[in-house]
Amino acid sequence: MSPQQSNATRLHIVTGKGGTGKTTVAAALALALAAEGRRILLVEVEGRQGIAQLFETDALPYVERKIAVSPGGGEVHALAIDPEQALLDYLDMFYKLGRAGRALKKLGAIDFATTIAPGLRDVLLTGKACEAVRRKDKAGWRTYDAVVMDAPPTGRITRFLNVNDEVAGLARIGPIYNQAQAVMRVMKSQETSVHLVTLLEEMPVQETVDGVAELRAAGLPVGGVVINMVRPVVLDSEAVCAAANGQRTAVAKALSQAGLGGARRGGHAERLVDPLLAQAHEHAERVALERRERAELDELGLPTYELDLLGDGVDLGGLYRLAENLRKQGLGVA
C-alpha cells in the first residue's frame, strides 16, 4: 500500500477542444498526483498513442505498465484502452467465451459490433477505466490512488461519459445495462471530476463554456478549468499606450539610448519604430482579447489553473515542470 493510499480512488477526466493540449495536461496531472508515493493510472481512450509520445516510450500495449516515477517516489502507470480487447474482456467476464471470443475477433465480429453500436464502444472504454477505479487488492485497499483519463474532446465528452443514454437503445436489462449502471455510479460520484482544458482564444473558451453547461445538465461532476499555453505579457500598460498613440519620437529616442543606432529620421533606431509599433499594437490586441476570455471563464464559477506556454515544445523535462506547476496551484494535491 502506498503512503497516501486510501480506500477511495479519485477519477480525474481531462477533456478539451482539439489543439488545446488536453493530453499534455492529463499527463502532467498524473505526474502531479503521483507525488508523495502515490500510485496513479493514466488512461488513454482514443487510440492516438499520445501518452507514449509525451513520455518518450514505446507504443502502449493493452496492459497497465509503469512509465514514470515522480520526484516524490510515486508511480505513473499507463493503459491505452483498445475497444476490441475490452469487448473480449467483457465477453469472457460475463459469458465465459474464452477462445470463442478470440475467434469472433478473427471473423471481424468484434469490430462489427462496436461499429453498429457506438454506445457499446463507449461503455467498454469508460467501463475499463471505472474497473481500475473500483479495483482492490487482497487486503481490500484500492489498487490506485487516482485514475486520470485522457478523454475525448469537449464537443462529445458528455455523450461519451453519459453511457446510460448511449445504451438505452441496446438493452434495458442484462449485463450491458448493469455495466452501464456501474459506470454511471462512478461517473457521478463525489470522487470524480471532469476538468476542461482551454486556451485564451474565442473558440476554445466558447467550447469550454458550452461543455460545462452540457456536463452540468447531465449531472456530471465538473472539476476545474485549466488554461493552457499562457503567453507572458511583455509590455506594461504605459508602454502599450505609448506605442498605440504613435509616440514615434519617444520610441526612437529610447531605442537610440539603448544603443540601437541614431534617433534622427533615417537613422537605424528610427527605422525600427514602425515594425515595433506594429508588434506592440498586435500585443495590445492579444492582451485585450485574453482579458475578455478570462472574464468569460470567471463567470463559470469554477476553479481555474494556468500553465505557461513552453516555447521549445513539451519534452519530458517540460512535462515535469508543468506537473509541478499544477501541484503548486492545488490541482495535483488530491
Side-chain angles (χ1 to χ4, degrees):
M1 184 183 68
S2 65
Q4 297 297 319
Q5 196 173 43
S6 69
N7 211 29
T9 299
R10 289 196 58 85
L11 173 60
H12 296 269
I13 299 166
V14 181
T15 183
K17 178 176 170 56
T20 59
K22 71 176 180 65
T23 299
T24 299
V25 172
L29 177 57
L31 277 173
L33 289 165
E36 300 177 16
R38 297 188 183 96
R39 182 181 168 93
I40 310 299
L41 178 64
L42 176 58
V43 174
E44 181 176 78
V45 299
E46 293 185 282
R48 295 184 296 106
Q49 290 293 337
I51 291 172
Q53 294 175 33
L54 282 170
F55 285 93
E56 301 174 5
T57 186
D58 295 334
L60 297 176
Y62 183 63
V63 62
E64 293 162 26
R65 186 178 76 186
K66 184 170 73 173
I67 60 170
V69 177
S70 77
E75 297 178 352
V76 175
H77 294 245
L79 171 66
I81 302 178
D82 176 80
E84 287 191 357
Q85 292 292 337
L87 182 52
L88 288 175
D89 286 350
Y90 172 87
L91 292 172
D92 188 50
M93 182 183 303
F94 290 106
Y95 298 104
K96 310 300 180 185
L97 289 187
R99 292 181 180 178
R102 290 190 288 275
L104 287 174
K105 180 181 179 180
K106 290 181 180 179
L107 293 172
I110 303 298
D111 186 56
F112 177 72
T114 56
T115 299
I116 65 171
L120 176 59
R121 179 187 179 92
D122 290 348
V123 171
L124 295 168
L125 293 172
T126 54
K128 189 66 178 177
C130 290
E131 182 275 327
V133 170
R134 298 191 301 266
R135 194 188 311 156
K136 297 180 180 180
D137 61 22
K138 293 180 180 179
W141 293 99
R142 298 289 185 181
T143 303
Y144 294 103
D145 296 289
V147 174
V148 179
M149 180 194 294
D150 177 21
T154 317
R156 63 186 188 92
I157 187 63
T158 301
R159 183 177 180 182
F160 174 77
L161 297 177
N162 200 21
V163 293
N164 259 350
D165 290 342
E166 287 298 294
V167 302
L170 296 174
R172 294 194 179 274
I173 58 173
I176 295 177
Y177 178 79
N178 293 336
Q179 175 78 349
Q181 290 289 307
V183 168
M184 290 313 301
R185 283 194 292 273
V186 173
M187 292 299 174
K188 294 190 175 184
S189 77
Q190 295 181 351
E191 303 301 325
T192 295
S193 300
V194 183
H195 308 294
L196 297 95
V197 182
T198 188
L199 306 179
L200 288 175
E201 298 173 3
E202 186 175 356
M203 290 184 64
V205 168
Q206 186 58 55
E207 191 162 313
T208 299
V209 171
D210 294 341
V212 168
E214 291 176 2
L215 288 165
R216 285 171 168 168
L220 292 163
V222 183
V225 175
V226 180
I227 304 173
N228 197 22
M229 304 185 209
V230 177
R231 291 175 289 183
V233 177
V234 296
L235 295 177
D236 59 27
S237 299
E238 183 178 350
V240 170
C241 288
N245 292 333
Q247 297 178 15
R248 294 180 52 82
T249 302
V251 173
K253 184 177 180 180
L255 292 173
S256 179
Q257 291 174 344
L260 296 177
R264 295 189 301 275
R265 189 169 185 79
H268 183 66
E270 200 273 341
R271 292 198 304 272
L272 293 173
V273 172
D274 284 337
L276 284 175
L277 287 177
Q279 289 187 27
H281 182 68
E282 291 176 3
H283 180 73
E285 286 185 332
R286 176 174 68 80
V287 170
L289 170 65
E290 291 177 350
R291 286 173 179 167
R292 291 195 298 270
E293 301 305 329
R294 266 200 179 89
E296 190 165 356
L297 292 172
D298 288 343
E299 292 179 3
L300 294 172
L302 294 170
T304 58
Y305 312 90
E306 296 194 10
L307 293 174
D308 294 337
L309 173 67
L310 300 182
D312 297 330
V314 182
D315 58 11
L316 195 54
L319 196 60
Y320 275 87
R321 291 197 298 273
L322 294 176
E324 179 60 21
N325 199 336
L326 287 177
R327 273 194 60 77
K328 287 180 178 178
Q329 296 179 69
L331 182 55
V333 173

